[in-house]
Amino acid sequence: PKAVGLENWGKQGNTSTRPGYMKLGGNNAVAALYTPLLSSLSSNTNVVVKFKAGVYAEAQKTFCDRILVQAVQNATFDAKGNITNANAINVLQSTSVDITNSKENFREYTVSLSNVSPNTRIVFSSDPADLSANKTRFLLDDIFVTIQ
C-alpha cells in the first residue's frame, strides 16, 4: 500500500487501486485492507468508523452483499504491505455490514467499536461466509476513524 499512498496500511488477498477508491476481493477470493495502528489513542476508548462502500458488479451480476469491519491486533506486514501472519491475528470485534443498498453508488456506513486500544488496527474485509457464492468483491473509499 505504500506505493499507492497508504503509508503503514496493510493488505491481504486481491486488492487494487482505482482512481479515488480501492477494489477488494476477486474470483472466489477474500481480501482485506488494514488501517495503520491506532497509536494516537491515549488509552482504550470507543471509536466510530465511517467509510463509503460500493457493491462490485459486472454485466448485471453483483459480487458482494456484506463486508466485515473488525478491530484486530498482532497484524504484521512485509515491506510491500502484505500480511505476514494472518493466522496469528487476534480479532477483538467484528461487525457485518450489509452493503446491498450501494449497488449503483457508493453509500456511507458507520460502525461503532468499543474499548479499542492503541495497538489495534481496523480491517475492512470480504466476508468469508460468502466465499462459496463468489460474493467477495467490493469497493471502498473515504475511511475515517474518530474517537466517540
Side-chain angles (χ1 to χ4, degrees):
K2 182 178 180 179
V4 295
L6 296 170
E7 184 89 28
N8 298 316
W9 291 67
K11 63 181 182 163
Q12 179 178 1
N14 187 5
T15 62
S16 57
T17 57
R18 302 285 196 261
Y21 63 94
M22 289 191 74
K23 176 185 171 273
L24 288 87
N27 189 25
N28 290 318
V30 173
L33 180 67
Y34 295 75
T35 68
L37 286 172
L38 302 178
S39 56
S40 64
L41 298 176
S42 58
S43 63
N44 289 14
T45 190
N46 298 334
V47 298
V48 173
V49 181
K50 287 187 180 183
F51 60 96
K52 290 183 181 173
V55 172
Y56 182 81
E58 291 178 3
Q60 305 301 320
K61 183 175 180 182
T62 60
F63 291 91
C64 190
D65 292 326
R66 61 187 173 190
I67 61 176
L68 298 180
V69 178
Q70 300 174 309
V72 304
Q73 291 176 334
N74 302 327
T76 58
F77 308 98
D78 65 18
K80 292 186 177 183
N82 297 304
I83 190 82
T84 58
N85 67 336
N87 293 332
I89 294 172
N90 182 20
V91 177
L92 305 172
Q93 295 176 57
S94 184
T95 301
S96 179
V97 179
D98 182 340
I99 65 166
T100 54
N101 67 344
S102 63
K103 287 184 179 170
E104 295 181 10
N105 294 302
F106 279 88
R107 301 271 190 239
E108 185 173 89
Y109 299 91
T110 302
V111 172
S112 295
L113 302 168
S114 59
N115 204 28
V116 176
S117 67
N119 63 342
T120 302
R121 296 176 187 270
I122 306 301
V123 181
F124 301 87
S125 171
S126 308
D127 190 337
D130 293 333
L131 187 63
S132 63
N134 195 21
K135 295 278 192 174
T136 60
R137 291 176 244 182
F138 66 99
L139 310 174
L140 189 62
D141 196 9
D142 295 341
I143 298 168
F144 295 92
V145 180
T146 57
I147 296 172
Q148 191 171 32

